[in-house]
């Protein structure tokens, strides 16, 4: 079985130096958790600043003419739940901005709520800490996905732990909690009103990121599911004719694991064409895979193996046209960890991977982000060291991902 080169070669380092172009992001120390979103040639990035030991702040900036704008504050406060894997997000729809962060609801480790923040088009101030749900249980609510939806609304999906204390005979995966984690979805209008809240699946993995995209048929949601036999593969549900379909696996990896791996999928779509990336360690073989759909997620083509040497997952994916996508992931080779990206074709053709940056493999480095803007693929990640953290950003010209085909194989 062939995969990415197990040892980076000299030409890889040279390619890294010439192909990957850094974008200055000089916002100081003690910042982390970048999240990027691109819409209509506008790219936003949010991040969290640790103001001091008790106060956190959510900021954002816009990419303007290849440079990041001065930071703008969304909200700051105390008792935030700041976690390496459950990061805040920002999204824009026709000038209206929606962002979220997580706030502790009790002293228990996994008891926190999602807080929405809305800035209406033409307004200069934010409405902060708006509610997403009426549930008041002191349980986990997070791992959210935000998307622009329709002309002025937003689509959101999240993991909701309101039932995690319901059944003391069934362990949930978090110490002191029982019952099952669920995944829910809703629409938020331009005024911040939550409508059409629905439960999508009543038993999911407890702390893997959710992901969603809007196809020409409507929203689809992917997440790590959980069966009674502890199979935790990637599932999909689709909104079809106003009803959510019964969740089903996009591929039967058969990963049986007794706890959450904290490694969720990513999905992107162009019309009815969909590309999904995910991490699995079924049969004790860590792998990153990509699969394409030609019918808005109703079914998927055969998965493509992207990495199976030292892979850590933490994936992202961006479709570049109906047949191709760029996938990014982290992998560790010879005690060094890299953020890599590769172009793949839906029929299995893969291109030479590009090393975006060296990384710290610890949880503190979080989940690198990738977005497309014009003819560039943007990257952002957390750099950690000496007890501090910074955010770095870079781009690669889209054409650079097509330099060398590696052919098709399994």
């Amino acid at each position: 079985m062939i995969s990415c080169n197990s040892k980076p070669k000299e030409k890889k380092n040279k390619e890294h130096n010439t192909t990957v172009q850094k974008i200055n992001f000089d916002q100081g120390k003690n910042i982390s958790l970048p999240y990027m979103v691109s819409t209509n040639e506008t790219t936003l990035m949010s991040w969290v600043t640790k103001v001091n030991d008790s106060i956190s702040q959510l900021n954002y900036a816009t990419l303007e003419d290849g440079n990041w704008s001065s930071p703008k504050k969304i909200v700051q406060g105390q008792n935030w739940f700041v976690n390496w894997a459950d990061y805040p997000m920002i999204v824009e729809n026709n000038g209206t901005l929606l962002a979220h962060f997580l706030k502790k609801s009790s002293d228990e480790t996994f008891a926190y709520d999602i807080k929405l923040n809305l800035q209406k088009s033409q307004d200069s101030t934010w409405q902060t800490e708006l509610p997403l749900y009426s549930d008041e249980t002191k349980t986990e609510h997070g791992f959210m996905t935000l998307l622009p939806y329709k002309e002025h609304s937003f689509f959101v999906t999240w993991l909701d732990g309101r039932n995690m204390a319901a059944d003391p005979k069934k362990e949930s995966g978090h110490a002191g909690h029982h019952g099952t984690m669920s995944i829910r979805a809703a629409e938020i209008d331009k005024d911040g009103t939550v409508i059409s809240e629905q439960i999508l699946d009543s038993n999911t993995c407890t702390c893997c990121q959710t992901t969603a995209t809007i196809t020409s048929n409507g929203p689809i949601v992917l997440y790590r599911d959980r069966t009674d036999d502890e199979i935790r593969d990637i599932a999909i549900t689709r909104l079809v004719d106003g009803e959510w379909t019964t969740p089903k696996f996009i591929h039967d990896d058969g990963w049986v694991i007794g706890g959450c791996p904290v490694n969720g999928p990513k999905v992107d779509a162009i019309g009815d064409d969909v590309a999904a990336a995910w991490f699995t360690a079924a049969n004790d073989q860590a792998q990153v895979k990509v699969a394409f759909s030609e019918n808005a997620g109703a079914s998927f083509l055969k998965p493509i193996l992207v990495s199976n040497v030292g892979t850590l997952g933490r994936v992202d994916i961006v479709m570049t046209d109906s047949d191709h996508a760029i996938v990014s992931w982290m992998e560790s080779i010879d005690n060094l960890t890299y953020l890599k990206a590769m172009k793949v074709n839906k029929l299995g053709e893969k291109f030479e991977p590009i090393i975006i940056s060296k990384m710290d493999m610890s949880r503190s480095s979080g989940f690198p982000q990738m977005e497309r803007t014009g003819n560039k693929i943007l990257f952002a990640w957390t750099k950690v060291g000496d007890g501090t953290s910074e955010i770095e950003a870079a781009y690669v010209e889209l054409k650079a991902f097509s330099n060398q085909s590696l052919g098709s194989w399994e």
Side-chain angles (χ1 to χ4, degrees):
M1 183 177 292
I2 303 174
S3 70
C4 306
N5 292 338
S6 60
K7 294 184 179 180
K9 298 180 180 178
E10 182 65 27
K11 76 168 187 174
K12 283 286 191 66
N13 292 329
K14 187 181 298 183
E15 182 179 50
H16 168 63
N17 290 332
T18 59
T19 301
V20 180
Q21 302 294 317
K22 288 291 185 70
I23 307 174
N24 182 50
F25 194 79
D26 187 13
Q27 302 299 335
K29 307 284 187 179
N30 297 319
I31 61 175
S32 62
L33 305 180
Y35 175 77
M36 291 194 301
V37 60
S38 293
T39 56
N40 299 325
E41 303 302 319
T42 298
T43 299
L44 303 175
M45 179 157 66
S46 63
W47 68 94
V48 173
T49 299
K50 183 180 179 182
V51 178
N52 55 43
D53 289 342
S54 61
I55 297 177
S56 298
Q57 180 174 293
L58 181 60
N59 307 282
Y60 79 99
T62 305
L63 191 64
E64 300 171 349
D65 298 323
N67 298 299
W68 292 105
S69 68
S70 298
K72 297 179 181 180
K73 184 179 76 172
I74 299 174
V75 62
Q76 75 172 34
Q78 296 178 305
N79 298 321
W80 286 24
F81 183 79
V82 180
N83 181 269
W84 70 287
D86 199 353
Y87 41 86
M89 295 181 178
I90 188 170
V91 68
E92 181 267 346
N93 193 359
N94 284 315
T96 297
L97 297 173
L98 180 70
H100 87 285
F101 70 96
L102 307 173
K103 188 172 184 178
K104 295 283 293 179
S105 58
S106 81
D107 292 334
E108 291 193 30
T109 302
F110 297 104
Y112 56 91
D113 287 316
I114 296 167
K115 298 298 183 180
L116 300 177
N117 309 274
L118 184 78
Q119 186 184 73
K120 296 181 182 180
S121 178
Q122 309 303 320
D123 281 358
S124 59
T125 59
W126 286 82
Q127 301 175 47
T128 60
E129 299 200 28
L130 302 176
L132 174 60
Y133 40 76
S134 58
D135 173 46
E136 296 182 352
T137 62
K138 309 303 182 185
T139 54
E140 180 180 354
H141 306 79
F143 296 98
M144 196 169 186
T145 296
L146 311 178
L147 295 173
Y149 187 45
K150 301 177 181 177
E151 187 174 359
H152 295 288
S153 299
F154 300 92
F155 175 80
V156 299
T157 186
W158 71 97
L159 295 186
D160 191 298
R162 68 184 67 182
N163 297 323
M164 291 181 72
D167 184 359
K169 296 180 180 180
K170 188 165 186 178
E171 295 291 341
S172 72
H174 286 322
H177 289 254
H178 305 279
T180 58
M181 180 66 78
S182 64
I183 184 169
R184 295 172 181 260
E187 183 179 343
I188 299 174
D189 70 16
K190 63 180 180 179
D191 296 318
T193 302
V194 180
I195 55 179
S196 303
E197 180 185 341
Q198 297 185 57
I199 186 168
L200 308 183
D201 191 329
S202 61
N203 186 15
T204 73
C205 205
T206 51
C207 45
C208 279
Q209 296 81 11
T210 64
T211 186
T213 190
I214 310 298
T215 72
S216 57
N217 288 344
I220 62 174
V221 175
L222 277 70
Y223 57 98
R224 192 174 297 282
D225 209 352
R226 181 187 181 189
T227 72
D228 290 339
D229 297 324
E230 297 292 15
I231 296 174
R232 305 200 188 206
D233 290 345
I234 305 304
I236 184 173
T237 178
R238 302 172 294 121
L239 185 61
V240 178
D241 297 328
E243 299 290 335
W244 287 96
T245 62
T246 301
K248 66 177 183 179
F249 291 144
I250 65 171
H251 179 69
D252 292 324
D253 292 314
W255 188 12
V256 178
I257 178 172
C260 180
V262 196
N263 223 320
K266 279 295 186 77
V267 68
D268 194 22
I270 298 177
D272 282 345
D273 295 294
V274 177
W278 72 96
F279 171 84
T280 182
N283 302 312
D284 295 322
Q285 295 182 343
Q287 299 177 333
V288 168
K289 296 180 178 180
V290 169
F292 289 79
S293 170
E294 300 173 316
N295 53 13
S299 62
F300 282 81
L301 303 176
K302 183 179 180 181
I304 302 160
L305 176 63
V306 171
S307 172
N308 67 346
V309 178
T311 183
L312 301 176
R314 306 193 202 182
V315 301
D316 206 345
I317 196 164
V318 173
M319 292 196 73
T320 58
D321 57 53
S322 60
D323 296 328
H324 297 88
I326 308 295
V327 56
S328 66
W329 73 98
M330 288 175 60
E331 68 180 40
S332 291
I333 304 295
D334 294 336
N335 297 317
L336 293 175
T337 301
Y338 301 92
L339 170 60
K340 290 186 173 184
M342 172 194 282
K343 183 179 180 179
V344 294
N345 177 281
K346 68 180 180 181
L347 298 181
E349 182 182 16
K350 297 184 284 189
F351 294 80
E352 185 75 16
I354 294 175
I355 297 176
I356 306 304
S357 178
K358 288 184 179 179
M359 296 282 296
D360 188 296
M361 72 177 296
S362 69
R363 291 185 171 189
S364 299
S365 64
F367 283 71
Q369 300 294 305
M370 179 175 64
E371 278 290 305
R372 179 184 179 180
T373 178
N375 61 357
K376 295 180 176 67
I377 303 296
L378 304 177
F379 299 87
W381 62 94
T382 301
K383 178 183 177 181
V384 297
D386 300 326
T388 64
S389 60
E390 303 173 70
I391 291 174
E392 295 193 336
Y395 73 86
V396 176
E397 295 283 350
L398 182 58
K399 62 183 180 182
F401 287 98
S402 302
N403 281 343
Q404 183 178 351
S405 173
L406 301 178
S408 302
W409 63 77
E410 185 175 301

